[in-house]
Amino acid sequence: MYLFSLIAERSAALGFNKSGIPEHRCREQINAPKKSTRLAIGSGIRSSVGSIEFARAFWKMLTVLRVHLPSDIPIVGCELTPYVLLRRPDKPVTTDDVTESNPVDGHFLRYKWYRIQSDKKVAVCSVHPSEQATLQCLGCLKAKIPVAKSYHCSPKCFSDAWQHHRVLHERAASAGNENGNEEEEVFGRFNSTGSTGSSVVNMSLSGSQSSSSLTNGVTPLYPPTVTQRSGGETWFEVGRSKTYTPTADDIGHVLKFECVVVDAETKSPVGHANSILTSRVIPAPSPSPRRLISVSGVDVPGHLDLDGRISSAGTFTVLSYNILSDAYATNELYSYCPSWALSWPYRRQNLLREIVGYRADIICLQEVQSDHFEEFFAPELDKYGYQALFKRKTAEVFSGNINTIDGCATFFRRDRFSHVKKYEVEFNKAAQSLTDAVVPTAQKKTALNRLVKDNVALIVVLEAKFSNQGVDNPGKRQLVCVANTHVNVHQDLKDVKLWQVHTLLKGLEKIATSADIPMLVCGDFNSVPGSAPHALLAMGKVDPMHPDLAVDPLQILRPVSKLTHQLPLVSAYSSFARVGVGLGLEQRRKMDPGTNEPLFTNCTRDFISTHDYIFYSADSLTVESLLELLDEDSLRKDTALPSPEWSSDHIALLAEFRCKPRIRR
């Protein structure tokens, strides 16, 4: 359609009507004799041939066929990169960029972004950010809660959100009573209560202190310029590149993207510009801050250091988080999550903001795509002082793009730890060794089909740079071994899950015996509390009568007596079960009393349970504090995870540990 409209425009400019006949001849032929009419028609045919030749020439030049956005709802801080479908002379169709420095056939593409600013002020609903607000909570204004949190699109919206909205009021009031800064409390800056005898370190862990590039997008290289005014609207030019990151100034306004082919010699546009309008820009939803709860019975002795994190001599923090690979974040699986909140440009910024906000010394992430590790997480976390290590899943089963296969990524702060050694565990190789050793030749193919699932584990040995109070030998190197894994997901492969966990633990046993160092085992084990893999981790053995053992078609779990290990592992979050005062008591209500594990770490519309754990060696480490658990009701307001607030279907787990005097095994 674009081609024909352009031909029509060019023909009209040359004096042709829609049939290709010159306009003056059309007027003349009305009263002309027959032969004149035939002559006029003949001339028209020659002109039509000229139009066809023009069309052929047109197809030989750079042409924009289509422009569209992956998501039409722009969010502050999240890059907008339109898809520009081109027809190039040397290629049929492509989305490759054509820059002024590298033109094609004497042409390049020029981009512009505009903010369309109405004279009328528009507020955005805090619950449904794509909707315009119609009412405002006066209580928020009185409590000095950030004004963006006070808007709602309807009385029903405000009523439905009240249960969660009033928490903002309560926290603002609490912060005011403690002479704190209400706005900082709401947005989750670290805030020490200083209360004597309290069992809670009141630290709201979120990314409010992260850089402006996370919260407000990339600052324009030049100030917005007024381009034109019409009908009560002002157009501000805000960008001249293909990608644009909305800023706080854009909130509530529509953006316009414009793309035009330009003659490289004359710098003049060729043809008309292609443009697309977005919805109104919305602020990035800010998750409710999660606090670090002390489980040691006394306040953790610490101080607020320069970057705002609580530091305590001899302690360190470990984060474990399945971030939900973009390859799995489909609209079919998570239809309840708005498409803009499920898009990777939004989720990656929201995840980074959350992860950086926790300020963990060691970070264990699962479901990190290879391309996302290389292009985003490694370079972005490097800016915050983290060194990165990665183990990609093997690709014997995986059939997609090798660059999008996910794996386990471990990061550590360079100022707190140094890298000593790395071990990579490929369960596929272990499966091959197992089948070669114990499976009859006739059954090997069947056995490998069942065992080979591409899962991996990444084991890292680190040396602490901080002082270690309580260590029996102050001059001795303090090492820590951190395992990060993602166990097979299929629920009908209970034998495979248990075999993978057992294989990992036997490997860790060898490391622990040779180095005698504290162990941390983190990850998504895809195993609920009470399952055989969980029992093996937490108890060091599996009951021979455990129902999971009934699934063992390859007889790889026999004899059951071999399913043991000697690592003194304890689940970090089981510490909440032993806390009986303050907010620790509140956390106990979010624990399963039968297993002493969280009620859930994975919450979707159709599934809720615990799959994620942080295990530690209890003979060398003690838990000082834990990141508070989330309440199911607060998540169900958005149906489930992921949501605009939380960008994974799992929740992050974080524990603070203290090294203690070593007891030789």
Side-chain angles (χ1 to χ4, degrees), residues 17 78 97 169 190 195 239 244 250 320 383 483 502 583:
N17 68 3
C78 298
D97 200 2
H169 293 224
F190 285 83
S195 55
Y244 177 69
D250 298 319
S320 184
K383 298 174 185 177
H502 182 250
L583 288 184

Side-chain angles (χ1 to χ4, degrees), residues 41-61:
I41 294 173
S43 299
I45 292 172
R46 287 193 296 273
S47 299
S48 296
V49 171
S51 296
I52 292 171
E53 290 173 352
F54 167 74
R56 287 173 178 166
F58 174 83
W59 280 116
K60 292 181 180 180
M61 64 176 280

Side-chain angles (χ1 to χ4, degrees), residues 504-532:
L504 173 62
L505 290 172
K506 299 312 284 186
L508 291 174
E509 252 187 347
K510 293 178 182 178
I511 297 173
T513 302
S514 62
D516 193 32
I517 58 178
M519 286 281 165
L520 290 161
V521 187
C522 309
D524 176 0
F525 292 84
N526 274 309
S527 303
V528 300
S531 63

Side-chain angles (χ1 to χ4, degrees), residues 160-181:
D160 292 345
W162 174 246
Q163 179 182 352
H164 309 286
H165 182 84
R166 68 179 180 182
V167 174
L168 297 178
H169 293 224
E170 293 167 358
R171 290 193 172 180
S174 174
N177 292 338
E178 294 168 359
N179 297 318
N181 183 306

Side-chain angles (χ1 to χ4, degrees), residues 319-326 328 334 347 351 354-355 363-369 377 393 406-409 484-487 489 522-526 601-602 611-613 641-642 646-653:
L319 172 75
S320 184
Y321 196 6
N322 180 327
I323 63 170
L324 179 59
S325 167
D326 183 47
Y328 308 143
Y334 306 105
R347 289 203 310 117
L351 287 166
E354 181 188 358
I355 292 166
I363 299 171
C364 296
L365 303 182
Q366 302 87 44
E367 285 195 24
V368 180
Q369 287 186 192
F377 285 108
K393 284 182 179 177
D406 65 284
C408 298
N484 178 11
T485 191
H486 189 187
V487 172
V489 67
C522 309
D524 176 0
F525 292 84
N526 274 309
T601 63
N602 182 201
H611 277 171
D612 308 86
Y613 307 92
L641 298 177
W646 307 102
S647 288
S648 174
D649 55 346
H650 292 247
I651 66 171
L653 300 179

